Amino acid sequence: FMLWGFVGAGLILFSAYSFNLYTERERSKFDIPTAVSFEKTDFNSALLKAKEANKPLFIDFYTGWCAPCLVFTKNVLTDQEVGEFMNDAFVNLKYDAEKGEGIKIAKKYKVTSYPTLLIIDSDGNLLERIGDQWVPKKEDMIAVSKKYNNQ
């Protein structure tokens, strides 16, 4: 019986290792140019920039294994018109919810499904949660940008 325990433990470890390799490979697919300009800074600096610009913060939470997240990134965030509207309306951030600061920020805003898109005011208060049960399309992102542009 002890042998089966070792075999089972080995399979579990191999599965976890394989999933990690898969996730890292998938995560790299998100590193594509988008029309939406995402800040390459930490959360507090982005909040400060949002306050100075008098704009809300838009945050895109994704994970490396989330296929709908990749569809959203490739099909919506690369769209030129979406980029113009979103860059005008928001200070934009993109977080992998399983890496770095993304873990802490996702926890803070109780992000449990992906993609989750949040609109946050420059004081860090949640204004709107988008896409918990669906993947937003181009029209959805243009509409939400218009709603928050120069409020």
Side-chain angles (χ1 to χ4, degrees):
F1 283 115
M2 211 159 125
L3 176 63
W4 290 115
F6 284 125
V7 170
L11 284 173
I12 290 169
L13 287 172
F14 177 74
S15 296
Y17 175 74
S18 297
F19 181 73
N20 283 338
L21 281 179
Y22 166 79
T23 302
E24 284 305 314
R25 192 175 59 246
E26 291 303 295
R27 188 173 274 133
S28 69
K29 293 180 180 178
F30 287 89
D31 297 332
I32 60 171
T34 57
V36 176
S37 298
F38 289 101
E39 297 297 313
K40 304 285 187 230
T41 186
D42 65 279
F43 183 69
N44 288 330
S45 298
L47 280 177
L48 191 60
K49 184 170 183 173
K51 193 176 284 284
E52 289 168 358
N54 196 27
K55 294 180 178 183
L57 205 57
F58 168 84
I59 307 177
D60 173 11
F61 287 97
Y62 71 98
T63 63
W65 47 263
C66 171
C69 299
L70 190 57
V71 168
F72 177 69
T73 297
K74 284 184 171 180
N75 297 344
V76 180
L77 298 178
T78 57
D79 184 275
Q80 215 47 53
E81 193 178 8
V82 169
E84 288 170 24
F85 277 100
M86 288 186 64
N87 295 336
D88 202 33
F90 305 110
V91 170
N92 300 294
L93 279 176
K94 189 172 185 71
Y95 280 118
D96 183 329
E98 297 180 328
K99 279 189 95 169
E101 191 181 31
I103 297 168
K104 184 177 84 173
I105 304 303
K107 204 173 283 183
K108 174 180 176 152
Y109 291 103
K110 298 174 177 56
V111 174
T112 57
S113 62
Y114 309 100
T116 292
L117 313 172
L118 303 181
I119 312 283
I120 296 168
D121 71 17
S122 60
D123 293 321
N125 301 307
L126 179 64
L127 298 173
E128 190 171 347
R129 183 179 291 263
I130 304 163
D132 265 344
Q133 302 301 318
W134 51 282
V135 178
K137 301 201 174 353
K138 171 183 176 172
E139 302 75 36
D140 302 318
M141 296 317 301
I142 290 172
V144 81
S145 298
K146 287 178 178 177
K147 176 179 172 182
Y148 286 98
N149 196 1
N150 296 324
Q151 274 200 335

PDB file of all heavy atoms in Angstrom, residues 51-89:
ATOM      1  N   LYS A  51      -5.566  60.583  -9.585  1.00  0.00           N
ATOM      2  CA  LYS A  51      -5.992  61.793  -8.860  1.00  0.00           C
ATOM      3  C   LYS A  51      -5.532  63.046  -9.602  1.00  0.00           C
ATOM      4  O   LYS A  51      -6.302  63.978  -9.812  1.00  0.00           O
ATOM      5  CB  LYS A  51      -5.442  61.765  -7.431  1.00  0.00           C
ATOM      6  CG  LYS A  51      -6.077  62.797  -6.512  1.00  0.00           C
ATOM      7  CD  LYS A  51      -5.589  62.682  -5.084  1.00  0.00           C
ATOM      8  CE  LYS A  51      -6.177  61.544  -4.318  1.00  0.00           C
ATOM      9  NZ  LYS A  51      -7.542  61.725  -3.859  1.00  0.00           N
ATOM     10  N   GLU A  52      -4.267  63.049 -10.034  1.00  0.00           N
ATOM     11  CA  GLU A  52      -3.715  64.201 -10.764  1.00  0.00           C
ATOM     12  C   GLU A  52      -4.438  64.425 -12.090  1.00  0.00           C
ATOM     13  O   GLU A  52      -4.653  65.550 -12.503  1.00  0.00           O
ATOM     14  CB  GLU A  52      -2.219  63.993 -11.015  1.00  0.00           C
ATOM     15  CG  GLU A  52      -1.375  64.110  -9.763  1.00  0.00           C
ATOM     16  CD  GLU A  52       0.056  63.630  -9.968  1.00  0.00           C
ATOM     17  OE1 GLU A  52       0.416  63.155 -11.068  1.00  0.00           O
ATOM     18  OE2 GLU A  52       0.836  63.736  -8.996  1.00  0.00           O
ATOM     19  N   ALA A  53      -4.808  63.331 -12.762  1.00  0.00           N
ATOM     20  CA  ALA A  53      -5.470  63.420 -14.068  1.00  0.00           C
ATOM     21  C   ALA A  53      -6.992  63.589 -13.930  1.00  0.00           C
ATOM     22  O   ALA A  53      -7.677  63.781 -14.937  1.00  0.00           O
ATOM     23  CB  ALA A  53      -5.169  62.171 -14.880  1.00  0.00           C
ATOM     24  N   ASN A  54      -7.478  63.499 -12.677  1.00  0.00           N
ATOM     25  CA  ASN A  54      -8.918  63.572 -12.416  1.00  0.00           C
ATOM     26  C   ASN A  54      -9.684  62.518 -13.225  1.00  0.00           C
ATOM     27  O   ASN A  54     -10.667  62.820 -13.898  1.00  0.00           O
ATOM     28  CB  ASN A  54      -9.448  64.985 -12.701  1.00  0.00           C
ATOM     29  CG  ASN A  54     -10.815  65.202 -12.076  1.00  0.00           C
ATOM     30  OD1 ASN A  54     -11.152  64.578 -11.071  1.00  0.00           O
ATOM     31  ND2 ASN A  54     -11.601  66.065 -12.685  1.00  0.00           N
ATOM     32  N   LYS A  55      -9.164  61.286 -13.167  1.00  0.00           N
ATOM     33  CA  LYS A  55      -9.765  60.155 -13.869  1.00  0.00           C
ATOM     34  C   LYS A  55      -9.896  58.985 -12.901  1.00  0.00           C
ATOM     35  O   LYS A  55      -9.098  58.861 -11.978  1.00  0.00           O
ATOM     36  CB  LYS A  55      -8.858  59.677 -15.015  1.00  0.00           C
ATOM     37  CG  LYS A  55      -8.671  60.625 -16.155  1.00  0.00           C
ATOM     38  CD  LYS A  55      -7.732  59.985 -17.189  1.00  0.00           C
ATOM     39  CE  LYS A  55      -7.526  60.861 -18.398  1.00  0.00           C
ATOM     40  NZ  LYS A  55      -6.673  60.195 -19.400  1.00  0.00           N
ATOM     41  N   PRO A  56     -10.861  58.098 -13.153  1.00  0.00           N
ATOM     42  CA  PRO A  56     -10.883  56.858 -12.373  1.00  0.00           C
ATOM     43  C   PRO A  56      -9.830  55.889 -12.902  1.00  0.00           C
ATOM     44  O   PRO A  56      -9.257  56.093 -13.976  1.00  0.00           O
ATOM     45  CB  PRO A  56     -12.291  56.314 -12.594  1.00  0.00           C
ATOM     46  CG  PRO A  56     -12.786  56.948 -13.840  1.00  0.00           C
ATOM     47  CD  PRO A  56     -12.015  58.232 -14.032  1.00  0.00           C
ATOM     48  N   LEU A  57      -9.592  54.858 -12.126  1.00  0.00           N
ATOM     49  CA  LEU A  57      -8.652  53.814 -12.477  1.00  0.00           C
ATOM     50  C   LEU A  57      -9.443  52.635 -13.053  1.00  0.00           C
ATOM     51  O   LEU A  57     -10.479  52.262 -12.518  1.00  0.00           O
ATOM     52  CB  LEU A  57      -7.956  53.370 -11.191  1.00  0.00           C
ATOM     53  CG  LEU A  57      -6.596  52.735 -11.208  1.00  0.00           C
ATOM     54  CD1 LEU A  57      -5.579  53.644 -11.875  1.00  0.00           C
ATOM     55  CD2 LEU A  57      -6.157  52.459  -9.779  1.00  0.00           C
ATOM     56  N   PHE A  58      -8.962  52.081 -14.154  1.00  0.00           N
ATOM     57  CA  PHE A  58      -9.529  50.857 -14.719  1.00  0.00           C
ATOM     58  C   PHE A  58      -8.508  49.758 -14.457  1.00  0.00           C
ATOM     59  O   PHE A  58      -7.327  49.928 -14.749  1.00  0.00           O
ATOM     60  CB  PHE A  58      -9.748  51.002 -16.229  1.00  0.00           C
ATOM     61  CG  PHE A  58     -10.046  49.697 -16.916  1.00  0.00           C
ATOM     62  CD1 PHE A  58     -11.330  49.189 -16.943  1.00  0.00           C
ATOM     63  CD2 PHE A  58      -9.028  48.973 -17.521  1.00  0.00           C
ATOM     64  CE1 PHE A  58     -11.600  47.975 -17.558  1.00  0.00           C
ATOM     65  CE2 PHE A  58      -9.284  47.757 -18.142  1.00  0.00           C
ATOM     66  CZ  PHE A  58     -10.573  47.256 -18.162  1.00  0.00           C
ATOM     67  N   ILE A  59      -8.960  48.629 -13.874  1.00  0.00           N
ATOM     68  CA  ILE A  59      -8.047  47.505 -13.626  1.00  0.00           C
ATOM     69  C   ILE A  59      -8.588  46.246 -14.288  1.00  0.00           C
ATOM     70  O   ILE A  59      -9.735  45.862 -14.065  1.00  0.00           O
ATOM     71  CB  ILE A  59      -7.844  47.224 -12.123  1.00  0.00           C
ATOM     72  CG1 ILE A  59      -7.421  48.485 -11.364  1.00  0.00           C
ATOM     73  CG2 ILE A  59      -6.795  46.124 -11.941  1.00  0.00           C
ATOM     74  CD1 ILE A  59      -7.265  48.286  -9.873  1.00  0.00           C
ATOM     75  N   ASP A  60      -7.742  45.611 -15.077  1.00  0.00           N
ATOM     76  CA  ASP A  60      -8.044  44.333 -15.715  1.00  0.00           C
ATOM     77  C   ASP A  60      -7.303  43.250 -14.937  1.00  0.00           C
ATOM     78  O   ASP A  60      -6.076  43.226 -14.939  1.00  0.00           O
ATOM     79  CB  ASP A  60      -7.582  44.379 -17.175  1.00  0.00           C
ATOM     80  CG  ASP A  60      -7.692  43.044 -17.896  1.00  0.00           C
ATOM     81  OD1 ASP A  60      -8.317  42.105 -17.360  1.00  0.00           O
ATOM     82  OD2 ASP A  60      -7.148  42.936 -19.008  1.00  0.00           O
ATOM     83  N   PHE A  61      -8.054  42.361 -14.249  1.00  0.00           N
ATOM     84  CA  PHE A  61      -7.458  41.228 -13.546  1.00  0.00           C
ATOM     85  C   PHE A  61      -7.578  39.991 -14.418  1.00  0.00           C
ATOM     86  O   PHE A  61      -8.660  39.681 -14.913  1.00  0.00           O
ATOM     87  CB  PHE A  61      -8.184  40.950 -12.222  1.00  0.00           C
ATOM     88  CG  PHE A  61      -7.908  41.958 -11.158  1.00  0.00           C
ATOM     89  CD1 PHE A  61      -8.788  43.002 -10.948  1.00  0.00           C
ATOM     90  CD2 PHE A  61      -6.781  41.859 -10.361  1.00  0.00           C
ATOM     91  CE1 PHE A  61      -8.550  43.939  -9.956  1.00  0.00           C
ATOM     92  CE2 PHE A  61      -6.532  42.792  -9.368  1.00  0.00           C
ATOM     93  CZ  PHE A  61      -7.424  43.839  -9.165  1.00  0.00           C
ATOM     94  N   TYR A  62      -6.464  39.284 -14.603  1.00  0.00           N
ATOM     95  CA  TYR A  62      -6.453  38.058 -15.399  1.00  0.00           C
ATOM     96  C   TYR A  62      -5.567  37.035 -14.711  1.00  0.00           C
ATOM     97  O   TYR A  62      -4.912  37.328 -13.708  1.00  0.00           O
ATOM     98  CB  TYR A  62      -5.946  38.347 -16.815  1.00  0.00           C
ATOM     99  CG  TYR A  62      -4.467  38.665 -16.880  1.00  0.00           C
ATOM    100  CD1 TYR A  62      -3.546  37.678 -17.217  1.00  0.00           C
ATOM    101  CD2 TYR A  62      -3.985  39.936 -16.580  1.00  0.00           C
ATOM    102  CE1 TYR A  62      -2.189  37.954 -17.256  1.00  0.00           C
ATOM    103  CE2 TYR A  62      -2.637  40.221 -16.625  1.00  0.00           C
ATOM    104  CZ  TYR A  62      -1.744  39.224 -16.957  1.00  0.00           C
ATOM    105  OH  TYR A  62      -0.407  39.507 -16.989  1.00  0.00           O
ATOM    106  N   THR A  63      -5.546  35.815 -15.236  1.00  0.00           N
ATOM    107  CA  THR A  63      -4.590  34.794 -14.806  1.00  0.00           C
ATOM    108  C   THR A  63      -4.013  34.151 -16.064  1.00  0.00           C
ATOM    109  O   THR A  63      -4.625  34.213 -17.127  1.00  0.00           O
ATOM    110  CB  THR A  63      -5.249  33.689 -13.948  1.00  0.00           C
ATOM    111  OG1 THR A  63      -6.214  33.005 -14.744  1.00  0.00           O
ATOM    112  CG2 THR A  63      -5.894  34.267 -12.697  1.00  0.00           C
ATOM    113  N   GLY A  64      -2.867  33.525 -15.917  1.00  0.00           N
ATOM    114  CA  GLY A  64      -2.197  32.902 -17.056  1.00  0.00           C
ATOM    115  C   GLY A  64      -2.985  31.767 -17.682  1.00  0.00           C
ATOM    116  O   GLY A  64      -2.834  31.487 -18.862  1.00  0.00           O
ATOM    117  N   TRP A  65      -3.848  31.114 -16.902  1.00  0.00           N
ATOM    118  CA  TRP A  65      -4.597  29.965 -17.417  1.00  0.00           C
ATOM    119  C   TRP A  65      -5.995  30.336 -17.906  1.00  0.00           C
ATOM    120  O   TRP A  65      -6.763  29.477 -18.345  1.00  0.00           O
ATOM    121  CB  TRP A  65      -4.707  28.878 -16.343  1.00  0.00           C
ATOM    122  CG  TRP A  65      -5.121  29.403 -14.997  1.00  0.00           C
ATOM    123  CD1 TRP A  65      -4.289  29.722 -13.955  1.00  0.00           C
ATOM    124  CD2 TRP A  65      -6.449  29.690 -14.551  1.00  0.00           C
ATOM    125  NE1 TRP A  65      -5.015  30.193 -12.893  1.00  0.00           N
ATOM    126  CE2 TRP A  65      -6.349  30.189 -13.224  1.00  0.00           C
ATOM    127  CE3 TRP A  65      -7.702  29.594 -15.129  1.00  0.00           C
ATOM    128  CZ2 TRP A  65      -7.469  30.575 -12.492  1.00  0.00           C
ATOM    129  CZ3 TRP A  65      -8.812  29.981 -14.390  1.00  0.00           C
ATOM    130  CH2 TRP A  65      -8.681  30.463 -13.080  1.00  0.00           C
ATOM    131  N   CYS A  66      -6.369  31.608 -17.865  1.00  0.00           N
ATOM    132  CA  CYS A  66      -7.738  32.050 -18.190  1.00  0.00           C
ATOM    133  C   CYS A  66      -7.899  32.323 -19.690  1.00  0.00           C
ATOM    134  O   CYS A  66      -7.463  33.363 -20.181  1.00  0.00           O
ATOM    135  CB  CYS A  66      -8.061  33.292 -17.372  1.00  0.00           C
ATOM    136  SG  CYS A  66      -9.587  34.104 -17.839  1.00  0.00           S
ATOM    137  N   ALA A  67      -8.526  31.386 -20.402  1.00  0.00           N
ATOM    138  CA  ALA A  67      -8.743  31.553 -21.841  1.00  0.00           C
ATOM    139  C   ALA A  67      -9.624  32.763 -22.175  1.00  0.00           C
ATOM    140  O   ALA A  67      -9.293  33.523 -23.087  1.00  0.00           O
ATOM    141  CB  ALA A  67      -9.323  30.270 -22.435  1.00  0.00           C
ATOM    142  N   PRO A  68     -10.741  33.010 -21.451  1.00  0.00           N
ATOM    143  CA  PRO A  68     -11.547  34.201 -21.752  1.00  0.00           C
ATOM    144  C   PRO A  68     -10.762  35.507 -21.548  1.00  0.00           C
ATOM    145  O   PRO A  68     -10.989  36.479 -22.263  1.00  0.00           O
ATOM    146  CB  PRO A  68     -12.725  34.104 -20.771  1.00  0.00           C
ATOM    147  CG  PRO A  68     -12.832  32.659 -20.439  1.00  0.00           C
ATOM    148  CD  PRO A  68     -11.419  32.139 -20.467  1.00  0.00           C
ATOM    149  N   CYS A  69      -9.833  35.509 -20.607  1.00  0.00           N
ATOM    150  CA  CYS A  69      -8.991  36.696 -20.387  1.00  0.00           C
ATOM    151  C   CYS A  69      -8.142  36.985 -21.625  1.00  0.00           C
ATOM    152  O   CYS A  69      -7.980  38.136 -22.030  1.00  0.00           O
ATOM    153  CB  CYS A  69      -8.064  36.488 -19.189  1.00  0.00           C
ATOM    154  SG  CYS A  69      -8.894  36.200 -17.624  1.00  0.00           S
ATOM    155  N   LEU A  70      -7.600  35.919 -22.205  1.00  0.00           N
ATOM    156  CA  LEU A  70      -6.765  36.074 -23.391  1.00  0.00           C
ATOM    157  C   LEU A  70      -7.602  36.553 -24.582  1.00  0.00           C
ATOM    158  O   LEU A  70      -7.160  37.410 -25.345  1.00  0.00           O
ATOM    159  CB  LEU A  70      -6.051  34.759 -23.719  1.00  0.00           C
ATOM    160  CG  LEU A  70      -4.968  34.826 -24.783  1.00  0.00           C
ATOM    161  CD1 LEU A  70      -3.884  35.838 -24.420  1.00  0.00           C
ATOM    162  CD2 LEU A  70      -4.357  33.446 -24.998  1.00  0.00           C
ATOM    163  N   VAL A  71      -8.822  36.026 -24.708  1.00  0.00           N
ATOM    164  CA  VAL A  71      -9.736  36.469 -25.767  1.00  0.00           C
ATOM    165  C   VAL A  71     -10.014  37.964 -25.611  1.00  0.00           C
ATOM    166  O   VAL A  71      -9.950  38.729 -26.573  1.00  0.00           O
ATOM    167  CB  VAL A  71     -11.059  35.655 -25.731  1.00  0.00           C
ATOM    168  CG1 VAL A  71     -12.119  36.292 -26.617  1.00  0.00           C
ATOM    169  CG2 VAL A  71     -10.796  34.215 -26.149  1.00  0.00           C
ATOM    170  N   PHE A  72     -10.289  38.405 -24.369  1.00  0.00           N
ATOM    171  CA  PHE A  72     -10.556  39.818 -24.089  1.00  0.00           C
ATOM    172  C   PHE A  72      -9.339  40.670 -24.459  1.00  0.00           C
ATOM    173  O   PHE A  72      -9.462  41.700 -25.128  1.00  0.00           O
ATOM    174  CB  PHE A  72     -10.928  40.008 -22.619  1.00  0.00           C
ATOM    175  CG  PHE A  72     -11.155  41.428 -22.225  1.00  0.00           C
ATOM    176  CD1 PHE A  72     -12.260  42.132 -22.688  1.00  0.00           C
ATOM    177  CD2 PHE A  72     -10.274  42.086 -21.378  1.00  0.00           C
ATOM    178  CE1 PHE A  72     -12.470  43.462 -22.324  1.00  0.00           C
ATOM    179  CE2 PHE A  72     -10.482  43.399 -21.014  1.00  0.00           C
ATOM    180  CZ  PHE A  72     -11.587  44.092 -21.486  1.00  0.00           C
ATOM    181  N   THR A  73      -8.152  40.232 -24.053  1.00  0.00           N
ATOM    182  CA  THR A  73      -6.928  40.981 -24.350  1.00  0.00           C
ATOM    183  C   THR A  73      -6.706  41.080 -25.856  1.00  0.00           C
ATOM    184  O   THR A  73      -6.468  42.168 -26.385  1.00  0.00           O
ATOM    185  CB  THR A  73      -5.710  40.320 -23.664  1.00  0.00           C
ATOM    186  OG1 THR A  73      -5.898  40.383 -22.246  1.00  0.00           O
ATOM    187  CG2 THR A  73      -4.417  41.040 -24.019  1.00  0.00           C
ATOM    188  N   LYS A  74      -6.792  39.942 -26.556  1.00  0.00           N
ATOM    189  CA  LYS A  74      -6.499  39.917 -27.994  1.00  0.00           C
ATOM    190  C   LYS A  74      -7.562  40.597 -28.847  1.00  0.00           C
ATOM    191  O   LYS A  74      -7.238  41.234 -29.846  1.00  0.00           O
ATOM    192  CB  LYS A  74      -6.334  38.469 -28.469  1.00  0.00           C
ATOM    193  CG  LYS A  74      -5.021  37.853 -28.073  1.00  0.00           C
ATOM    194  CD  LYS A  74      -4.893  36.455 -28.651  1.00  0.00           C
ATOM    195  CE  LYS A  74      -3.496  35.927 -28.448  1.00  0.00           C
ATOM    196  NZ  LYS A  74      -3.352  34.572 -29.007  1.00  0.00           N
ATOM    197  N   ASN A  75      -8.837  40.458 -28.489  1.00  0.00           N
ATOM    198  CA  ASN A  75      -9.923  40.933 -29.345  1.00  0.00           C
ATOM    199  C   ASN A  75     -10.469  42.306 -28.984  1.00  0.00           C
ATOM    200  O   ASN A  75     -11.038  42.975 -29.839  1.00  0.00           O
ATOM    201  CB  ASN A  75     -11.080  39.933 -29.358  1.00  0.00           C
ATOM    202  CG  ASN A  75     -10.677  38.602 -29.940  1.00  0.00           C
ATOM    203  OD1 ASN A  75      -9.644  38.478 -30.597  1.00  0.00           O
ATOM    204  ND2 ASN A  75     -11.478  37.598 -29.699  1.00  0.00           N
ATOM    205  N   VAL A  76     -10.329  42.704 -27.725  1.00  0.00           N
ATOM    206  CA  VAL A  76     -10.925  43.977 -27.299  1.00  0.00           C
ATOM    207  C   VAL A  76      -9.844  45.020 -26.991  1.00  0.00           C
ATOM    208  O   VAL A  76      -9.890  46.134 -27.510  1.00  0.00           O
ATOM    209  CB  VAL A  76     -11.863  43.772 -26.079  1.00  0.00           C
ATOM    210  CG1 VAL A  76     -12.472  45.098 -25.639  1.00  0.00           C
ATOM    211  CG2 VAL A  76     -12.970  42.760 -26.413  1.00  0.00           C
ATOM    212  N   LEU A  77      -8.873  44.653 -26.175  1.00  0.00           N
ATOM    213  CA  LEU A  77      -7.871  45.639 -25.740  1.00  0.00           C
ATOM    214  C   LEU A  77      -6.914  46.057 -26.854  1.00  0.00           C
ATOM    215  O   LEU A  77      -6.247  47.074 -26.741  1.00  0.00           O
ATOM    216  CB  LEU A  77      -7.090  45.096 -24.539  1.00  0.00           C
ATOM    217  CG  LEU A  77      -7.934  44.812 -23.299  1.00  0.00           C
ATOM    218  CD1 LEU A  77      -7.069  44.244 -22.186  1.00  0.00           C
ATOM    219  CD2 LEU A  77      -8.686  46.058 -22.826  1.00  0.00           C
ATOM    220  N   THR A  78      -6.864  45.292 -27.940  1.00  0.00           N
ATOM    221  CA  THR A  78      -6.016  45.656 -29.077  1.00  0.00           C
ATOM    222  C   THR A  78      -6.757  46.550 -30.069  1.00  0.00           C
ATOM    223  O   THR A  78      -6.147  47.090 -30.986  1.00  0.00           O
ATOM    224  CB  THR A  78      -5.534  44.394 -29.827  1.00  0.00           C
ATOM    225  OG1 THR A  78      -6.681  43.655 -30.236  1.00  0.00           O
ATOM    226  CG2 THR A  78      -4.638  43.532 -28.964  1.00  0.00           C
ATOM    227  N   ASP A  79      -8.056  46.717 -29.888  1.00  0.00           N
ATOM    228  CA  ASP A  79      -8.871  47.510 -30.816  1.00  0.00           C
ATOM    229  C   ASP A  79      -8.541  48.998 -30.660  1.00  0.00           C
ATOM    230  O   ASP A  79      -8.585  49.544 -29.557  1.00  0.00           O
ATOM    231  CB  ASP A  79     -10.353  47.254 -30.545  1.00  0.00           C
ATOM    232  CG  ASP A  79     -11.245  47.963 -31.541  1.00  0.00           C
ATOM    233  OD1 ASP A  79     -11.541  49.164 -31.304  1.00  0.00           O
ATOM    234  OD2 ASP A  79     -11.641  47.341 -32.540  1.00  0.00           O
ATOM    235  N   GLN A  80      -8.228  49.650 -31.771  1.00  0.00           N
ATOM    236  CA  GLN A  80      -7.810  51.053 -31.761  1.00  0.00           C
ATOM    237  C   GLN A  80      -8.865  51.973 -31.153  1.00  0.00           C
ATOM    238  O   GLN A  80      -8.551  52.850 -30.348  1.00  0.00           O
ATOM    239  CB  GLN A  80      -7.476  51.489 -33.198  1.00  0.00           C
ATOM    240  CG  GLN A  80      -6.352  52.470 -33.302  1.00  0.00           C
ATOM    241  CD  GLN A  80      -5.109  52.105 -32.489  1.00  0.00           C
ATOM    242  OE1 GLN A  80      -4.551  51.009 -32.578  1.00  0.00           O
ATOM    243  NE2 GLN A  80      -4.650  53.033 -31.680  1.00  0.00           N
ATOM    244  N   GLU A  81     -10.122  51.777 -31.510  1.00  0.00           N
ATOM    245  CA  GLU A  81     -11.200  52.631 -31.005  1.00  0.00           C
ATOM    246  C   GLU A  81     -11.384  52.448 -29.489  1.00  0.00           C
ATOM    247  O   GLU A  81     -11.545  53.420 -28.747  1.00  0.00           O
ATOM    248  CB  GLU A  81     -12.507  52.310 -31.755  1.00  0.00           C
ATOM    249  CG  GLU A  81     -13.591  53.343 -31.527  1.00  0.00           C
ATOM    250  CD  GLU A  81     -14.865  53.049 -32.303  1.00  0.00           C
ATOM    251  OE1 GLU A  81     -14.985  51.965 -32.921  1.00  0.00           O
ATOM    252  OE2 GLU A  81     -15.749  53.925 -32.272  1.00  0.00           O
ATOM    253  N   VAL A  82     -11.323  51.208 -29.038  1.00  0.00           N
ATOM    254  CA  VAL A  82     -11.413  50.926 -27.602  1.00  0.00           C
ATOM    255  C   VAL A  82     -10.269  51.634 -26.881  1.00  0.00           C
ATOM    256  O   VAL A  82     -10.468  52.280 -25.844  1.00  0.00           O
ATOM    257  CB  VAL A  82     -11.372  49.399 -27.324  1.00  0.00           C
ATOM    258  CG1 VAL A  82     -11.193  49.113 -25.836  1.00  0.00           C
ATOM    259  CG2 VAL A  82     -12.636  48.727 -27.847  1.00  0.00           C
ATOM    260  N   GLY A  83      -9.066  51.534 -27.443  1.00  0.00           N
ATOM    261  CA  GLY A  83      -7.901  52.180 -26.839  1.00  0.00           C
ATOM    262  C   GLY A  83      -8.080  53.677 -26.698  1.00  0.00           C
ATOM    263  O   GLY A  83      -7.796  54.251 -25.642  1.00  0.00           O
ATOM    264  N   GLU A  84      -8.572  54.320 -27.740  1.00  0.00           N
ATOM    265  CA  GLU A  84      -8.774  55.778 -27.684  1.00  0.00           C
ATOM    266  C   GLU A  84      -9.754  56.158 -26.568  1.00  0.00           C
ATOM    267  O   GLU A  84      -9.482  57.072 -25.785  1.00  0.00           O
ATOM    268  CB  GLU A  84      -9.281  56.287 -29.034  1.00  0.00           C
ATOM    269  CG  GLU A  84      -8.210  56.280 -30.111  1.00  0.00           C
ATOM    270  CD  GLU A  84      -8.759  56.561 -31.506  1.00  0.00           C
ATOM    271  OE1 GLU A  84      -9.824  57.189 -31.622  1.00  0.00           O
ATOM    272  OE2 GLU A  84      -8.096  56.141 -32.480  1.00  0.00           O
ATOM    273  N   PHE A  85     -10.881  55.460 -26.503  1.00  0.00           N
ATOM    274  CA  PHE A  85     -11.882  55.774 -25.478  1.00  0.00           C
ATOM    275  C   PHE A  85     -11.373  55.480 -24.071  1.00  0.00           C
ATOM    276  O   PHE A  85     -11.529  56.300 -23.168  1.00  0.00           O
ATOM    277  CB  PHE A  85     -13.183  54.988 -25.727  1.00  0.00           C
ATOM    278  CG  PHE A  85     -14.087  55.639 -26.733  1.00  0.00           C
ATOM    279  CD1 PHE A  85     -14.116  55.193 -28.046  1.00  0.00           C
ATOM    280  CD2 PHE A  85     -14.903  56.704 -26.362  1.00  0.00           C
ATOM    281  CE1 PHE A  85     -14.952  55.793 -28.983  1.00  0.00           C
ATOM    282  CE2 PHE A  85     -15.735  57.315 -27.294  1.00  0.00           C
ATOM    283  CZ  PHE A  85     -15.764  56.854 -28.610  1.00  0.00           C
ATOM    284  N   MET A  86     -10.748  54.318 -23.893  1.00  0.00           N
ATOM    285  CA  MET A  86     -10.284  53.940 -22.550  1.00  0.00           C
ATOM    286  C   MET A  86      -9.115  54.798 -22.081  1.00  0.00           C
ATOM    287  O   MET A  86      -9.061  55.172 -20.912  1.00  0.00           O
ATOM    288  CB  MET A  86      -9.933  52.455 -22.510  1.00  0.00           C
ATOM    289  CG  MET A  86     -11.169  51.569 -22.554  1.00  0.00           C
ATOM    290  SD  MET A  86     -10.797  49.821 -22.337  1.00  0.00           S
ATOM    291  CE  MET A  86     -10.156  49.814 -20.661  1.00  0.00           C
ATOM    292  N   ASN A  87      -8.187  55.119 -22.972  1.00  0.00           N
ATOM    293  CA  ASN A  87      -7.046  55.952 -22.588  1.00  0.00           C
ATOM    294  C   ASN A  87      -7.501  57.359 -22.222  1.00  0.00           C
ATOM    295  O   ASN A  87      -6.898  58.012 -21.375  1.00  0.00           O
ATOM    296  CB  ASN A  87      -6.007  55.997 -23.710  1.00  0.00           C
ATOM    297  CG  ASN A  87      -5.389  54.632 -23.957  1.00  0.00           C
ATOM    298  OD1 ASN A  87      -5.366  53.776 -23.081  1.00  0.00           O
ATOM    299  ND2 ASN A  87      -4.900  54.433 -25.170  1.00  0.00           N
ATOM    300  N   ASP A  88      -8.564  57.819 -22.860  1.00  0.00           N
ATOM    301  CA  ASP A  88      -9.116  59.139 -22.567  1.00  0.00           C
ATOM    302  C   ASP A  88      -9.847  59.154 -21.224  1.00  0.00           C
ATOM    303  O   ASP A  88      -9.780  60.132 -20.494  1.00  0.00           O
ATOM    304  CB  ASP A  88     -10.080  59.539 -23.699  1.00  0.00           C
ATOM    305  CG  ASP A  88     -10.273  61.036 -23.777  1.00  0.00           C
ATOM    306  OD1 ASP A  88      -9.323  61.784 -23.480  1.00  0.00           O
ATOM    307  OD2 ASP A  88     -11.399  61.458 -24.116  1.00  0.00           O
ATOM    308  N   ALA A  89     -10.522  58.061 -20.891  1.00  0.00           N
ATOM    309  CA  ALA A  89     -11.391  58.029 -19.712  1.00  0.00           C
ATOM    310  C   ALA A  89     -10.690  57.574 -18.431  1.00  0.00           C
ATOM    311  O   ALA A  89     -11.070  57.991 -17.341  1.00  0.00           O
ATOM    312  CB  ALA A  89     -12.587  57.109 -19.973  1.00  0.00           C
TER     313      ALA A  89
END
